[in-house]
Amino acid sequence: MVATALPGCDPGPDARGALYDVRDSAGVRLVENRGPAWDGGDAWLVESEPEWSLGALEGPAETRFFQIRDLRVRADGVILVVDGGSAELRAFDGDGSHLWSQGGQGDGPGEYRAPATVLPYPGDSVAVYDSETRRVTVVSPGGEPVRSYRPEVPEGHTMAAPRVAVTPQRWLSSVGVSLGRDLPPSSTLAPPLPFFWSRPDGSVLDSVVSLPTSSRLVQQSGAGVGVWTVPFSVGGAVAGGGGRLVTGDPAAPRWTARDTLGRVVQVVSFPAERRPLRDEDWVRAREASIPEGAEPARREAVAEAYGAMERPADWPVFQDLLLDDRGHVWVRRFQAPGTVDEPGRWWVFTGEGRLLGQVSTPVALAVHAIVGDRIVGVATDSLGVERVRAHRIRRPRQ
C-alpha cells in the first residue's frame, strides 16, 4: 500500500510542550495553538488505496450510484448512503456488502423526491430528510419506513432542515436563506444563516447561532433572476456528535465548541497562513466553472457574472469540519476551484483543542465519516462514476 501524510513542521522535542496555551475566560476554555504536537514519527497516514470500493458504471443496481447526497456510518458499523439519482437510502455492512435499499421516487409513504440528509434517530433508527417535500421519514434498523412528518418551522421562516445530530435527542437545524427583495439589478450578498435546536419529532427548541453563508451574485433582468455563488467564498461550517456542536467561520483560523444548551465552552485557534487571492486564482476558478464543450453564450454569461462579482481579498482558511468517533476535530483546508487532482488536507485536533498536525486524504475523495481506523467517503472518476470508498488510517504511535 502507498500512504500519504502531511506531518506539518517539526518543532523539535524540547519545544513540543510549549506550542500551545490554554486559559479560562468566564468559563470558556481558550486554546491557542502555535504549532503541531506530532513530529515525523507521530503523523497519521491514510492509505491511498481503498480497503474496499463500491460503485461501477455497470453492475447490480445497489452498487450503481448517481448524485450521492449524504453518507453516514451507524453506531453498529453499517454504512448508510443517500443516493439522489434513485431517491434511495442504501445500507452496507462494514465490508461493503449490500444489506438493504429503501425508498424510491414518489410522494407515497417511504418514498422521496430529493433525499438530502440521513441522521441518527432514537432507538437505532435513522431519519431521512427530503429537501423537496420538506419531509422527514423515520427508517428502522432493518430498512422499513416507520413514519413521516414535516418539521416545525420557526416563526418568521418558511422552512426548517435538520443538519446535524448532536445527540439522537437533539438536532441542529437550519432555516432557508432569504436573499431579500427590491434588490438592484446586480448585487453580491452574503446573508447570515440561522441555526436552531430541534427534537427528532420536528419540534423547535431554541435558536443557537447564526453563521455566514457563501457570497452570491444576484442578477435581475426581464427574463428572471440569476444567482451565482462567488468562488473563494465559503459559508460557515458545522459538525456535531457525542453531545458537542462545533462551528467555524472559514475566514478565520479557529473553531468553537458548544454544549447541548448552545453555550460556548471552547474556542480553539491555530496557525494558518493568509493567502491573498491573485488574478490567476480567479481566472482558474472562472475556467473551472465552465463545462467542457460549453456554447459561446454560456462562456459569455460566466465572464459577465465574474466581472460583476465582488471578489474576496483572501482565500478562506478552511471549508469543512468533521468529528470522528474518538472525539477528534478534523478541519479541512480550503481547496481552490479547479484543483480536484490535489489531495485533501486536514488539520487534526484532540477534543481538548490541541493541534496534532496535518493529514492528507486521497485525491478526489469527499470525506463523510471517520470511524475507528477508517475514513469513508465518495470519489468520482473522470467518467463521472461515483464510488463509496473506505481507506485505512495508520496511527504509528497509539
Side-chain angles (χ1 to χ4, degrees), residues 81-99:
V81 180
V82 178
D83 185 75
S86 63
E88 288 181 326
L89 176 66
R90 302 179 190 173
F92 303 86
D93 68 16
D95 295 322
S97 299
H98 179 253
L99 298 175

Side-chain angles (χ1 to χ4, degrees), residues 60 99 118 135 151 192-193 200 229 233 277 295 353 360 377:
L99 298 175
V118 58
R135 184 174 67 181
L193 177 62
T229 299
S233 169
L277 187 59
E295 297 291 334
S360 68

Side-chain angles (χ1 to χ4, degrees), residues 94-110:
D95 295 322
S97 299
H98 179 253
L99 298 175
W100 48 261
S101 296
Q102 180 274 323
Q105 284 283 349
D107 296 315

Side-chain angles (χ1 to χ4, degrees), residues 71-225:
L71 184 155
R72 189 166 301 274
V73 180
R74 219 164 55 183
D76 59 2
V78 170
I79 299 163
L80 301 167
V81 180
V82 178
D83 185 75
S86 63
E88 288 181 326
L89 176 66
R90 302 179 190 173
F92 303 86
D93 68 16
D95 295 322
S97 299
H98 179 253
L99 298 175
W100 48 261
S101 296
Q102 180 274 323
Q105 284 283 349
D107 296 315
E111 295 178 329
Y112 309 105
R113 286 289 182 183
T117 309
V118 58
L119 297 174
Y121 190 86
D124 296 327
S125 295
V126 295
V128 179
Y129 174 69
D130 188 315
S131 61
E132 185 170 321
T133 64
R134 300 179 183 176
R135 184 174 67 181
V136 171
T137 297
V138 179
V139 180
S140 75
E144 297 296 326
V146 177
R147 69 185 187 94
S148 297
Y149 63 90
R150 285 185 172 84
E152 181 181 335
V153 178
E155 185 176 354
H157 298 280
T158 59
M159 64 169 289
R163 296 280 298 273
V164 171
V166 177
T167 72
Q169 299 286 350
R170 183 168 285 244
W171 291 356
L172 183 76
S173 297
S174 65
V175 299
V177 175
S178 174
L179 297 178
R181 298 180 178 180
D182 301 324
L183 298 174
S186 181
S187 306
T188 300
L189 307 172
L193 177 62
F195 290 85
F196 62 95
W197 292 126
S198 63
R199 295 187 180 94
D201 63 5
S203 57
V204 173
L205 293 172
D206 305 304
S207 60
V208 183
V209 64
S210 288
L211 295 174
T213 57
S214 55
S215 297
R216 294 170 175 85
L217 171 69
V218 182
Q219 292 180 313
Q220 300 186 75
S221 66
V225 178

Side-chain angles (χ1 to χ4, degrees), residues 345-365:
R345 294 175 170 86
W346 300 75
W347 288 283
V348 182
F349 300 80
T350 66
E352 292 73 31
R354 179 71 175 98
L355 173 63
L356 295 177
Q358 293 188 49
V359 173
S360 68
T361 52
V363 170
L365 182 73

Side-chain angles (χ1 to χ4, degrees), residues 295-316:
E295 297 291 334
R298 172 64 177 174
R299 288 186 167 275
E300 291 175 7
V302 171
E304 180 184 349
Y306 271 67
M309 290 176 184
E310 295 178 16
R311 196 169 98 178
D314 298 306
W315 288 45

Side-chain angles (χ1 to χ4, degrees), residues 332-383:
R332 184 182 179 186
R333 294 182 62 170
F334 178 77
Q335 187 168 347
T339 57
V340 294
D341 57 344
E342 296 180 2
R345 294 175 170 86
W346 300 75
W347 288 283
V348 182
F349 300 80
T350 66
E352 292 73 31
R354 179 71 175 98
L355 173 63
L356 295 177
Q358 293 188 49
V359 173
S360 68
T361 52
V363 170
L365 182 73
V367 178
H368 284 259
I370 305 168
V371 180
D373 291 323
R374 178 183 285 165
I375 284 181
V376 184
V378 178
T380 304
D381 66 18
S382 59
L383 298 177

